[in-house]
Amino acid sequence: MTHIPPTQEAVDYLLLTPGPLSTTASVRAAMLQDSCTWDADYNLGVVEPIRRELVRLATSPEFANDYSAVLLQGSGSYVVESVLGSALGADDCVLIVNNGAYGARMVEMAQCLGLNHRVLDCGETARPEVQDLEELLIRHPEISHLAMVHCETTTGMLNPLEQVASLCQRHGIRLILDAMSSFGGIPFDIGQLGVEFLISSANKCIQGVPGFGFVIARRAALAACAGKARSVSLDLHAQWQTMEQQGGKWRFTSPTHTVLAFAQALRELDEEGGVSARYQRYQENQHTLVAGMQALGFEPLLPKEWQSPIITAFYSPTHPDYRFVDFYQRLKAQGFVIYPGKVSKADCFRIGNIGNVTPQQIQQLLAAIQQASYWLEANA
Ligand SMILES: *Cc1c(COP(=O)(O)O)cnc(C)c1O
């Protein structure tokens, strides 16, 4: 007899998290079908159009032929590890920008994979200064690649992509961009910026469900990964070659239902008006949130000019009765799920603005937060 309890009746919580996030009912409904991974309906009919659409979203037509998309099983970190482990040769050296948990994770991967690497540690609440990066490049001519997170989800910090990309172009450095939580939600053109590898995943701003990630990379850069991988299943070149040569076939079992949901999510992104329209909505969510939170006495961790529209970190109330878990449970009881903090040196909590979430729902969240602020005199 099984000891697995029956699935609870579904509750439609609004997930105000950096992913998995709230998806539309139509994205979830797209999963109600089984697909055969050998069949053309799936590979040529679903996977290949997704790969082309990802390139189209990432760059303008003049650069599109230079780029190719590879999908890979696992969460976003698997794909980051696949790129680092496949792109860097024994003589290469990667400079990793670290200003949060995801930058730190890339450092951990470089250590584990035995990659030559240098780190610019900025601290979690500062942005990398281009001058500091340039000094490192000059001092260490062995540096061949630079890896940076675009939106550091730890704090919601938006790193200076344009400046760093232009620095890389001036110095002939290959740029690896973890755009996990920004791709699809913030417009930028990787061809124009000269990004070699962009990494993102299904369950962030494209608003799909979790199960795979993807790389949009220069074809020449993918070709140069041949024979370099430190792992069989995370061999980016092998995965790319299988998809290229066998019409969208995945090397190992494909997360078929997740892929169907992703195809639907891409259609819905287009229907919304594309990346710029989605960006507008996220911005409006974020501005509504911050204005409302400030009116309730909460302060954001970051200065406005560094803040992304993706997720916002707020200082925890200093009242002695405040406990995150109690606050969290009271919000959850009202249908809203928020996120704990991840900054090591400041007590924070985070609220995401991405997913199938509207400014009206942010207003409802603000009303719920006021009610859930049990430590306030007015609510005593
Ligand atoms: C979500 C995210 C990742 C990947 O995290 P997983 O838990 O592996 O999905 C990587 N980088 C950033 C910036 C992210 O937001």
Side-chain angles (χ1 to χ4, degrees):
M1 203 179 96
T2 178
H3 292 285
I4 298 173
T7 306
Q8 289 181 336
E9 208 176 310
V11 182
D12 258 335
Y13 293 116
L14 193 69
L15 301 182
L16 298 153
T17 59
L21 35 66
S22 283
T23 54
T24 61
S26 38
V27 161
R28 296 193 296 272
M31 291 187 284
L32 297 174
Q33 191 190 327
D34 301 322
S35 306
C36 170
T37 58
W38 279 96
D39 193 87
D41 286 351
Y42 177 69
N43 290 321
L44 293 177
V46 183
V47 179
E48 286 296 271
I50 286 176
R51 294 180 62 215
R52 287 192 294 272
E53 179 66 0
L54 287 175
V55 172
R56 195 184 72 81
L57 290 174
T59 190
S60 40
E62 55 182 310
F63 301 108
N65 288 336
D66 300 339
Y67 285 90
S68 183
V70 192
L71 316 182
L72 188 69
Q73 296 92 332
S75 80
S77 302
Y78 290 65
V79 187
V80 175
E81 190 152 8
S82 164
V83 171
L84 291 176
S86 303
L88 283 132
D91 298 329
D92 290 326
C93 177
V94 60
L95 172 58
I96 302 172
V97 175
N98 179 9
N99 61 342
Y102 295 100
R105 193 173 296 171
M106 291 201 282
V107 175
E108 193 184 341
M109 288 171 185
Q111 286 166 348
C112 181
L113 294 167
L115 307 176
N116 298 321
H117 66 283
R118 300 260 164 199
V119 182
L120 178 69
D121 268 312
C122 313
E124 287 171 319
T125 50
R127 299 219 297 184
E129 293 291 339
V130 172
Q131 228 172 338
D132 295 342
L133 289 170
E134 187 150 31
E135 271 169 33
L136 279 168
L137 295 182
I138 292 165
R139 201 157 7 114
H140 301 288
E142 72 277 14
I143 293 172
S144 52
H145 294 68
L146 187 148
M148 183 177 77
V149 174
H150 184 202
C151 170
E152 189 34 273
T153 321
T154 313
T155 52
M157 170 103 62
L158 202 56
N159 278 328
L161 173 57
E162 276 181 35
Q163 291 173 35
V164 172
S166 125
L167 172 78
C168 289
Q169 285 188 318
R170 286 201 303 281
H171 288 264
I173 301 294
R174 296 160 187 275
L175 178 56
I176 298 170
L177 187 68
D178 170 348
M180 206 71 67
S181 63
S182 60
F183 180 70
I186 299 178
F188 56 94
D189 181 336
I190 59 170
Q192 202 106 53
L193 295 166
V195 175
E196 286 252 325
F197 296 92
L198 173 149
I199 306 154
S200 189
S201 77
N203 60 280
K204 303 258 169 141
C205 296
I206 305 288
Q207 298 182 185
V209 303
F212 73 94
F214 52 87
V215 180
I216 306 162
R218 284 214 172 109
R219 289 178 175 276
L222 286 167
C225 291
K228 290 191 184 142
R230 280 111 176 136
S231 154
V232 173
S233 51
L234 297 181
D235 184 335
L236 184 64
H237 182 264
Q239 181 83 346
W240 179 56
Q241 281 300 291
T242 307
M243 289 197 165
E244 282 286 280
Q245 292 169 2
Q246 297 184 51
K249 193 180 169 297
W250 296 55
R251 217 162 34 124
F252 307 134
T253 300
S254 165
T256 48
H257 302 83
T258 298
V259 172
L260 292 178
F262 191 70
Q264 178 60 24
L266 285 171
R267 277 181 223 117
E268 293 180 13
L269 173 60
D270 196 49
E271 285 160 16
E272 185 172 348
V275 177
S276 58
R278 185 154 291 179
Y279 173 65
Q280 292 302 326
R281 175 165 59 87
Y282 289 169
Q283 287 271 45
E284 208 183 324
N285 284 348
Q286 204 271 337
H287 294 161
T288 306
L289 177 71
V290 170
M293 289 296 277
Q294 283 179 323
L296 292 171
F298 293 92
E299 274 314 310
L301 172 75
L302 295 181
K304 211 155 91 182
E305 60 277 15
W306 291 354
Q307 176 66 54
S308 72
I310 307 300
I311 188 166
T312 311
F314 293 95
Y315 285 108
S316 301
T318 50
H319 194 284
D321 291 347
Y322 170 82
R323 300 276 177 283
F324 176 76
V325 283
D326 297 335
F327 183 45
Y328 175 89
Q329 287 301 346
R330 282 165 195 249
L331 284 175
K332 190 176 161 193
Q334 296 182 74
F336 300 96
V337 173
I338 65 165
Y339 227 52
K342 212 173 187 173
V343 180
S344 22
K345 292 195 193 86
D347 193 3
C348 292
F349 62 89
R350 290 177 293 169
I351 298 181
N353 307 300
I354 61 178
N356 181 35
V357 177
T358 62
Q360 291 72 27
Q361 287 170 311
I362 297 289
Q363 297 284 10
Q364 291 160 8
L365 166 74
L366 289 164
I369 286 176
Q370 183 162 28
Q371 278 208 11
S373 300
Y374 60 90
W375 58 90
L376 294 181
E377 290 280 330
N379 289 348

